Amino acid sequence: MQNEKASRTALVIAASLVLLHRDPKHSDLVLKTSADLCVQMLETYSPQTRLFSKIVQQSWFRPIAKLIERMTVPGILLHYVLRKKCIAGLVRSALIDGAAQIVVIGAGFDPLSFELHQDFRAARFWEIDHPATQRHKLRAFPKIGIERLHFVAVDLNATAFDKEALVKSSFDPTQRTCWIAEGLLMYLRADVVSLLMRTLKTLSAPGSRLAFTFMEKQRDGRIRFDSQSKLVDWWLRERGEPFLWGTTRGELVDFVRPWHVIRFFDHDDLREMEAGLADEAIARGEVICLAEI
């Protein structure tokens, strides 16, 4: 990621949510509030993304988007939206079960904390992300209430997780917390991921949960979606956002200790979340993990 530019991946995912919400076949998978928040972020980011936001909302663009998807990662759009829906459900469950704090690491343009802080008035929320991405997000929402939604700017690729900055922003390590790292860890080195896991443990009261995603390492050792084309490999390298870390489910159980893995959610689990997806392509390779301390 360039220092003054938000993650291109964050922009693509925001546009994908808008696109699917406008698709009558899948509109129910994306909340209107989520789509509207993504539109607002795209419209304020740059003239180019403002134009692109308008394009993805047009019906004539949907077959073009499908063609692009088939040429890059078939099923990636449904993967994005179902991944988000699954994690949102895990976080809501954590809040219902007594979590008092939600921390989204590498939040990108994800509107989840904006939505949940409206529904759970007693909870407090933090977003930790690259300064450039966070700056653009705050510009899109200048009136967001900051008394329960806090922003901590950290470039995890350049520096360690700054737990002191988090504590200074009123985070309380004695309170039960739900941590979220969605679509992030594959962009970090293995040693950085390991250090992050240990750091989060020191900030977590018993009963805290961690919902994160990871890339399943392929048999040949490559870290990618099963159906990912070489075009995507090139795009990620050119944009400075290559996949750096992946693992297997067996290896992960030991890797994340002292966190205890509760369960995994793969593409088959995501398919079962909604009716009518039996014949739909859903990208395979990124897995959701729920762990607890």
Side-chain angles (χ1 to χ4, degrees):
M1 181 192 302
Q2 298 181 27
N3 289 337
E4 296 304 317
K5 293 184 178 180
S7 163
R8 295 301 181 102
T9 303
L11 293 168
V12 168
I13 293 176
S16 299
L17 295 182
V18 176
L19 175 69
L20 282 180
H21 180 68
R22 292 290 184 175
D23 184 347
K25 188 176 181 180
H26 300 303
S27 60
D28 290 344
L29 297 178
V30 182
L31 294 174
K32 183 180 185 302
T33 52
S34 296
D36 290 345
L37 288 167
C38 288
V39 167
Q40 191 168 340
M41 283 183 277
L42 292 169
E43 288 184 344
T44 57
Y45 180 75
S46 72
Q48 292 79 15
T49 58
R50 185 181 307 118
L51 175 61
F52 189 53
S53 174
K54 296 183 184 302
I55 291 174
V56 298
Q57 296 181 68
Q58 304 303 313
S59 59
W60 59 262
F61 182 73
R62 285 198 289 272
I64 298 174
K66 282 294 183 184
L67 176 61
I68 295 172
E69 184 184 31
R70 285 196 296 272
M71 294 172 58
T72 53
V73 185
I76 192 64
L77 294 178
L78 275 178
H79 169 76
Y80 282 152
V81 70
L82 292 171
R83 179 186 77 181
K84 290 190 173 298
K85 187 166 186 175
C86 178
I87 289 178
L90 296 176
V91 178
R92 286 181 179 273
S93 293
L95 286 163
I96 292 169
D97 290 343
Q101 303 178 139
I102 303 297
V103 183
V104 187
I105 308 168
F109 288 156
D110 192 333
L112 178 62
S113 60
F114 289 38
E115 298 167 0
L116 293 179
H117 102 289
Q118 298 289 338
D119 297 338
F120 295 87
R121 298 287 181 175
R124 292 185 298 161
F125 299 81
W126 284 260
E127 289 197 0
I128 300 172
D129 207 350
H130 190 282
T133 299
Q134 203 165 78
R135 183 166 53 253
H136 289 292
K137 193 170 187 177
L138 286 169
R139 187 178 67 180
F141 302 102
K143 296 180 181 179
I144 190 71
I146 60 172
E147 66 279 357
R148 291 190 303 111
L149 180 52
H150 309 272
F151 296 87
V152 180
V154 177
D155 181 357
L156 293 174
N157 277 308
T159 186
F161 185 93
D162 191 348
K163 62 180 183 180
E164 296 301 324
L166 184 61
V167 172
K168 287 179 181 178
S169 66
S170 302
F171 178 84
D172 184 357
T174 68
Q175 295 289 314
R176 194 182 300 178
T177 301
C178 181
W179 305 88
I180 307 164
E182 178 187 355
L184 167 71
L185 302 183
M186 67 279 285
Y187 298 108
L188 305 177
R189 301 189 315 272
D191 61 308
V192 176
V193 177
S194 179
L195 177 59
L196 178 62
M197 293 292 177
R198 297 194 302 273
T199 301
L200 297 186
K201 187 268 178 185
T202 66
L203 293 167
S204 299
S208 294
R209 298 176 189 175
L210 170 61
F212 65 97
T213 67
F214 68 96
M215 296 302 297
E216 275 199 297
K217 192 162 49 179
Q218 297 186 340
R219 291 181 180 179
D220 60 6
R222 290 189 299 172
I223 305 168
R224 63 203 306 274
F225 286 98
D226 283 9
S227 56
Q228 181 173 312
S229 71
K230 292 182 178 179
L231 177 63
V232 177
D233 297 335
W234 171 84
W235 187 82
L236 289 170
R237 286 196 303 271
E238 287 296 305
R239 295 302 181 184
E241 299 178 17
F243 293 163
L244 300 177
W245 175 71
T247 186
T248 65
R249 300 184 204 192
E251 291 172 345
L252 186 75
V253 171
D254 292 325
F255 186 83
V256 300
R257 286 196 174 115
W259 292 92
H260 168 68
V261 172
I262 298 175
R263 70 163 294 182
F264 297 107
F265 302 83
D266 61 18
H267 65 290
D268 287 327
D269 296 302
L270 296 183
R271 187 185 306 280
E272 292 175 0
M273 288 173 56
E274 294 289 333
L277 298 179
D279 298 326
E280 297 275 1
I282 299 175
R284 175 177 180 171
E286 185 182 19
V287 177
I288 299 166
C289 179
L290 177 64
E292 190 173 50
I293 203 74

